[in-house]
């Protein structure tokens, strides 16, 4: 795992992966994270050109413009929204690969309350991440990823588990991790100061 460093450029896009029709499930914690981390500071609007809800925070001082995105497509089609948005916002390099795009998503292989940052790496079976990376030549799209632990339950089918809600104890751990771990990672990547 690499440590996050400040991203350069005038724009950064932060995408909360999930199923917008199932907002309170474990699988949609990436979308919920954007609201929790930004503590009600975002004004979401429909963005029909990329099939998403989006919000913008203008550049200020050293901080670049921040574009927040919640895809409206099912999880396994989130990549279509991400690639369209990256292209529209000019967040692709000369080879058409995404730059300055951060994916915030659930991670089965991390316990609830754990958060990790990675640059690129395997999707580990995550359909939303695969949907994003598969839009580009295999292995060439290096998305910045904020992976939020949801854990596993070996007694429950993975699909049923990720589409279920957190227990009260898990919810408390996850919300604490968003404040204490995910927010500092995003502050570093996006160059925004402590409140």
């Amino acid at each position: 795992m690499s440590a996050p460093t400040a991203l350069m450029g005038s724009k950064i896009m932060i995408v909360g992966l999930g199923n917008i029709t199932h907002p309170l499930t474990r699988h949609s914690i990436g979308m919920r994270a954007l609201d929790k981390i930004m503590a009600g500071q975002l004004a979401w609007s429909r963005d029909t050109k990329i099939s998403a809800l989006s919000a913008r925070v203008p550049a200020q001082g050293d901080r670049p413009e921040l574009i927040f995105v919640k895809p409206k497509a099912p999880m396994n089609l989130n990549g279509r929204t991400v690639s369209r948005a990256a292209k529209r916002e000019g967040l692709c390099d000369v080879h058409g690969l995404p730059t300055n795009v951060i994916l915030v998503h659930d991670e089965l292989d991390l316990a609830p309350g754990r958060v990790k940052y990675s640059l690129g790496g395997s999707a580990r079976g995550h359909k939303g991440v695969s949907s994003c990376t598969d839009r580009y030549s295999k292995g060439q799209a290096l998305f910045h990823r904020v992976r939020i632990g949801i854990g596993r339950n070996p007694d429950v089918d993975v699909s049923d588990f990720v589409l279920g809600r957190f227990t009260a104890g898990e919810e408390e751990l996850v919300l604490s991790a968003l404040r204490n771990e995910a927010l500092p990672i995003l502050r570093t990547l996006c160059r925004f100061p402590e409140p």
Side-chain angles (χ1 to χ4, degrees):
M1 179 185 86
S2 56
T5 58
L7 301 178
M8 297 295 112
S10 62
K11 288 183 187 178
I12 296 173
M13 185 169 71
I14 302 124
V15 182
L17 298 183
N19 286 309
I20 205 154
T21 57
H22 298 86
L24 300 177
T25 64
R26 291 179 179 95
H27 217 20
S28 293
I29 191 61
M31 289 182 172
R32 284 182 63 203
L34 301 187
D35 292 321
K36 295 293 182 188
I37 288 169
M38 294 306 291
Q41 298 176 47
L42 300 176
W44 295 101
S45 60
R46 284 195 179 120
D47 194 333
T48 56
K49 290 184 180 177
I50 60 169
S51 186
L53 295 177
S54 64
R56 291 179 182 269
V57 177
Q60 183 176 18
D62 289 338
R63 193 203 64 229
E65 178 182 13
L66 303 177
I67 301 124
F68 293 87
V69 175
K70 292 182 186 178
K72 290 182 75 177
M75 178 70 90
N76 62 339
L77 299 175
N78 279 189
R80 181 173 41 201
T81 295
V82 172
S83 65
R84 286 178 183 167
K87 185 175 181 178
R88 180 184 74 187
E89 298 298 336
L91 294 172
C92 296
D93 66 14
V94 295
H95 305 290
L97 298 174
T99 60
N100 285 6
V101 178
I102 303 167
L103 304 179
V104 182
H105 63 87
D106 59 298
E107 179 66 60
L108 280 165
D109 294 329
L110 292 175
R114 299 287 318 273
V115 175
K116 287 195 176 180
Y117 165 79
S118 61
L119 175 59
S122 168
R124 299 175 182 224
H126 192 291
K127 304 287 190 218
V129 174
S130 292
S131 172
C132 293
T133 58
D134 289 352
R135 304 293 291 183
Y136 305 94
S137 297
K138 289 275 188 201
Q140 292 190 23
L142 292 177
F143 289 101
H144 298 270
R145 293 168 50 200
V146 179
R147 300 164 32 223
I148 302 165
I150 63 168
R152 284 184 184 267
N153 183 337
D155 300 326
V156 179
D157 176 73
V158 170
S159 294
D160 292 337
F161 182 73
V162 300
L163 292 176
R165 292 182 180 211
F166 290 110
T167 65
E170 291 170 340
E171 180 89 7
E172 187 177 324
L173 288 171
V174 169
L175 293 180
S176 175
L178 292 179
R179 283 187 305 273
N180 300 322
E181 295 184 49
L183 180 55
I185 291 169
L186 288 171
R187 277 199 174 111
T188 298
L189 290 170
C190 299
R191 305 190 313 265
F192 60 89
E194 299 285 333

